[in-house]
Amino acid sequence: MSISRRSAIKTIAGAFALPTLNPISSVFAQANPNWSTYEIVTEVNLESPNGFAETWIPLPLVLDTNYFRTLAIRPESNDPKSVNQIYETADKQARMLWTKWDKSATNHSVKVSMLVSTCNRNLELNTSNPALTLSKAEKAYWTRGTKYLPTDGIVKTKAQECLANIPVNATDVEKAKAIYNWVVDNTHRDPKTRGCGQGDVKLMLETNNLGGKCADINAVFVALARSAGIPARDVYGIRIADSARGYKSLGKSGDITKAQHCRAEFYAAGYGWMPVDPADVRKVILEETGGLPANDPKVLAIRDYLFGNWEMNWMAYNYGHDISLPGSKLGSKGDIPFLMYPQAENTEGRFDSLDPDNFKYKITSRQIS
């Protein structure tokens, strides 16, 4: 359930003054027994020369949902020359902690603690609610093409191929399922891909190189769905706990520095946003118990589950695409396809966000309730 923009601001403002994170989680847990609460801490310690530097750390979703809510955000920086600002993108689809150090700074360290609660998502098609519909503007926004998610040309052609064998009057759920199945059957997880991939769908289809990781594979689903007129979006986030469903490859706890994971959603009138994750099906095929055939019972089970369900051992960051980092000295050349990793710059340029050992950042998670 969403909260108002004003309520979201109050939540953030109150978090700065909280002496501890635990009391909030205890109260929420007692009132919401089906939810789990986690504390996630991101720490950045730039080994940078004295002087100017900036960091941009992804923060949880701007608004709460029926499966995820932010309880508190608390940034800390030990240098009086630093300035912390919670910044939202113009389209309100992503927010970040933007920290700046001026030229007199001698230390470039910042930490942000985030308290979130999650609840597993499960597909329910028994009852349709006519009130669950997007406005014309919202549908246009979530079916639009972007730099990395085009909806014309080869993407449009491929979407039509995906839907060639289903009835013309098929529902959006049926169309999305056909696209989901095509993505699972035709992509593969490439362990050599850096990070979570780039999500350059046009390049993947034109080269017929459909290997990659979650930001690639789930982006293919989103672009194809949009090309078919189905509102869809990537949801960028990070794994925060082990899987309770018995899949070692689909969870991470403790040190989650390299546990970023992108998921996807599509919108079905009468039902709302519906979760999918074809990329994790391919991850199970490649990684679970050293690799499994596509017809293995564990693969078939997760393939069925991940159309319409998410296990919420995962924190949602944002829906943002083609993001400009505020204050970046690189200008438009410094734009990023999505914000799922900490970013940083100093007078020497942009740090490598996919190299946490040399960038010097760490992300940890612990379950509170």
Side-chain angles (χ1 to χ4, degrees):
M1 182 177 296
S2 296
I3 61 174
S4 68
R5 175 83 179 133
R6 180 175 297 177
S7 296
I9 293 173
K10 287 182 178 178
T11 300
I12 297 169
F16 283 79
L18 292 176
T20 178
L21 296 175
N22 291 336
I24 290 183
S25 63
S26 299
V27 171
F28 187 84
Q30 291 172 8
N32 300 273
N34 295 325
W35 290 63
S36 299
T37 302
Y38 303 89
E39 181 189 23
I40 294 88
V41 179
T42 300
E43 298 181 74
V44 176
N45 298 283
L46 301 181
E47 290 191 352
S48 177
N50 295 349
F52 170 83
E54 294 181 280
T55 61
W56 300 268
I57 297 174
L59 297 176
L61 289 179
V62 174
L63 296 180
D64 292 341
T65 71
N66 60 1
Y67 66 89
F68 182 88
R69 63 177 57 234
T70 303
L71 302 181
I73 297 173
R74 187 173 62 193
E76 302 173 40
S77 183
N78 59 9
D79 191 305
K81 299 297 183 181
S82 66
V83 176
N84 291 317
Q85 176 184 346
I86 292 180
Y87 176 88
E88 295 179 6
T89 57
D91 58 9
K92 307 300 181 185
Q93 299 307 317
R95 66 177 168 180
M96 63 198 79
L97 177 65
W98 177 19
T99 302
K100 297 172 283 186
W101 292 268
D102 70 18
K103 61 182 180 181
S104 64
T106 58
N107 179 288
H108 302 96
S109 298
V110 61
K111 177 172 76 172
V112 57
S113 301
M114 295 160 272
L115 194 72
V116 302
S117 281
T118 71
C119 181
N120 289 341
R121 299 184 73 178
N122 302 109
L123 177 67
E124 294 183 7
L125 293 175
N126 295 328
T127 305
S128 175
N129 180 356
L132 291 175
T133 184
L134 294 177
S135 68
K136 184 177 180 179
E138 288 172 325
K139 184 171 183 178
Y141 185 85
W142 294 117
T143 55
R144 77 195 191 283
T146 72
K147 178 180 179 181
Y148 290 98
L149 292 175
T151 57
D152 56 0
I154 192 172
V155 182
K156 183 73 172 180
T157 300
K158 190 60 67 176
Q160 292 169 341
E161 290 179 19
C162 293
L163 304 179
N165 295 321
I166 68 171
V168 176
N169 61 347
T171 66
D172 281 351
V173 174
E174 292 168 331
K175 292 177 182 178
K177 185 62 176 290
I179 294 170
Y180 173 86
N181 285 333
W182 186 92
V183 173
V184 171
D185 290 338
N186 289 278
T187 62
H188 64 275
R189 183 174 173 86
D190 184 352
K192 296 180 181 179
T193 299
R194 292 195 74 212
C196 290
Q198 290 294 309
D200 192 337
V201 175
K202 184 173 181 287
L203 179 63
M204 293 173 70
L205 293 176
E206 286 181 340
T207 61
N208 199 32
N209 179 7
L210 296 178
K213 290 186 179 174
C214 56
D216 300 310
I217 295 171
N218 284 339
V220 172
F221 172 86
V222 171
L224 293 176
R226 290 187 180 188
S227 292
I230 304 170
R233 62 192 183 189
D234 290 296
V235 192
Y236 298 100
I238 189 168
R239 303 185 200 273
I240 56 177
D242 296 333
S243 170
R245 300 186 64 83
Y247 292 88
K248 186 175 181 181
S249 61
L250 302 186
K252 191 74 172 72
S253 59
D255 185 346
I256 60 170
T257 305
K258 298 180 181 181
Q260 290 80 6
H261 179 57
C262 166
R263 288 176 160 178
E265 295 178 318
F266 71 93
Y267 196 92
Y271 302 102
W273 286 104
M274 309 190 79
V276 297
D277 196 343
D280 262 357
V281 181
R282 299 306 314 190
K283 183 176 175 69
V284 166
I285 290 172
L286 178 68
E287 297 182 7
E288 195 70 23
T289 63
L292 296 170
N295 62 353
D296 185 274
K298 290 194 73 172
V299 174
L300 296 177
I302 201 66
R303 178 174 181 151
D304 180 64
Y305 178 80
L306 288 175
F307 183 84
N309 305 278
W310 284 350
E311 181 184 3
M312 283 302 295
N313 57 336
W314 172 85
M315 179 175 76
Y317 279 137
N318 59 72
Y319 312 113
H321 264 284
D322 305 330
I323 293 176
S324 298
L325 298 174
S328 171
K329 305 308 177 186
L330 300 177
S332 61
K333 293 182 180 179
D335 290 357
I336 53 178
F338 50 80
L339 179 64
M340 195 161 47
Y341 299 84
Q343 305 285 330
E345 290 179 10
N346 62 10
T347 54
E348 298 174 355
R350 177 76 55 84
F351 285 70
D352 183 352
S353 65
L354 303 182
D355 185 9
D357 295 331
N358 291 307
F359 185 156
K360 299 297 182 185
Y361 68 80
K362 184 176 183 179
I363 308 173
T364 58
S365 172
R366 68 184 181 101
Q367 185 169 355
I368 295 176
S369 63

